[in-house]
Amino acid sequence: MKKLLESFVAAFSMYSRIPMPHILWSEDSMKYAMCFFPLVGAVIGALEYLWFMPYRYGHIGVILYAAVAVVIPVLISGGIHLDGFLDTADALSSWREKEERLRILKDSHVGAYAVIWACVLFILAFGAASEIRAENIMPLCLIFMLSRTFSAFAVVSGLFPKANPDGTLAVFSDNAAKKTVRIVCVIYLIVISLLLWFSGRLTGMAVLAAGMLAFLLYRHVSLKYFGGTTGDLAGFFVTYSELLMLAAGVLITL
């Protein structure tokens, strides 16, 4: 029980800005951390649903609703995944060799392409959020848990070589109880898929299909351009997969 509690705190301390008790980072605290990573997405989804209520009942306008809806995931995560998205955008836009792309991922400076793609990301997310309606809010709130479930599964699946053996993602992967985390992620995927189906048939299936497509694209990009995945690439995946799932869920019902 102590190991599970430490892993829970480790996951929320690493991947959110939700206040957590202080713990010492150790192999034990990271062992089941990936099991709890998707729960950060569940918190974000719950907040998104609560924020939708004043918009649904006409207390706020669509611009304010969409703006805050786009910012909620960044505020809760502390921007950790967005940071990976920006670094990856710079690396991919450089069109350099693999070694140079990996070097750019480690560079703390923000390049022009990162700024450009951040603007594109937020503009598209704002536009998609402004089209959310009551009939598709529930499945769209599940995208944050789904993206993190796919991301956690990638860490322990064996499908993604580690491009940086000394990086944060590799440390979490090496110390994870892989079999247990894989089982938990599969259970999450089954439960989320059922919730997507029952909460919004067409929207839910569009979200699930977009999430699976994003996962396959994540693997392709990681292997082809970087020789494997890193923490930055994992953040890139969480960020763009959420936009892709949001767009798919909204567009299918327009």
Side-chain angles (χ1 to χ4, degrees):
M1 189 65 183
K2 182 181 178 182
K3 289 182 180 179
L4 290 177
L5 181 58
E6 288 181 347
S7 293
F8 174 86
V9 173
F12 273 74
S13 298
M14 181 71 185
Y15 296 110
S16 82
R17 287 299 174 265
I18 300 172
M20 287 285 130
H22 175 73
I23 63 166
L24 294 176
W25 286 83
S26 65
E27 291 183 8
D28 285 342
S29 64
M30 289 186 281
K31 197 168 187 179
Y32 303 105
M34 287 295 102
C35 293
F36 298 104
F37 177 38
L39 297 184
V40 177
V43 173
I44 295 173
L47 292 175
E48 291 282 6
Y49 184 81
L50 291 174
W51 175 240
F52 182 78
M53 291 301 104
Y55 169 60
R56 179 178 184 178
Y57 295 109
H59 300 302
I60 58 174
V62 64
I63 294 178
L64 177 60
Y65 163 71
V68 176
V70 169
V71 170
I72 285 174
V74 181
L75 295 178
I76 299 302
S77 69
I80 186 171
H81 308 301
L82 182 60
D83 176 70
F85 175 86
L86 298 179
D87 289 339
T88 305
D90 269 337
L92 288 174
S93 299
S94 70
W95 295 106
R96 304 287 182 86
E97 297 299 319
K98 180 182 70 175
E99 290 73 18
E100 181 63 13
R101 292 193 189 103
L102 290 171
R103 187 199 65 77
I104 293 173
L105 286 183
K106 297 178 183 179
D107 193 339
S108 60
H109 295 88
V110 177
Y113 287 108
V115 176
I116 292 169
W117 283 107
C119 292
V120 172
L121 174 76
F122 281 109
I123 290 172
L124 292 177
F126 178 86
S130 68
E131 296 294 336
I132 295 176
R133 300 294 179 263
E135 58 269 22
N136 56 23
I137 182 62
M138 279 299 292
L140 292 177
C141 285
L142 290 168
I143 67 176
F144 307 100
M145 190 174 183
L146 184 57
S147 66
R148 286 159 177 80
T149 300
F150 275 127
S151 182
F153 182 75
V155 172
V156 298
S157 65
L159 298 172
F160 292 73
K162 307 302 180 292
N164 181 9
D166 300 319
T168 303
L169 184 139
V171 172
F172 270 86
S173 176
D174 292 342
N175 290 290
K178 292 183 174 61
K179 183 177 180 180
T180 300
V181 176
R182 281 196 294 266
I183 293 172
V184 171
C185 285
V186 170
I187 293 173
Y188 278 142
L189 288 172
I190 292 172
V191 172
I192 294 171
S193 297
L194 290 173
L195 290 174
L196 286 170
W197 173 253
F198 287 112
S199 64
R201 304 280 197 273
L202 192 60
T203 301
M205 293 303 96
V207 166
L208 183 59
M212 295 172 67
L213 176 62
F215 183 80
L216 294 175
L217 183 60
Y218 170 36
R219 185 173 187 273
H220 171 73
V221 170
S222 298
L223 296 181
K224 181 176 181 179
Y225 296 106
F226 299 93
T229 188
T230 68
D232 283 323
L233 288 167
F236 172 73
F237 165 71
V238 169
T239 302
Y240 87 77
S241 68
E242 289 175 357
L243 175 61
L244 189 61
M245 288 188 282
L246 174 61
V250 167
L251 292 174
I252 199 72
T253 55
L254 288 181

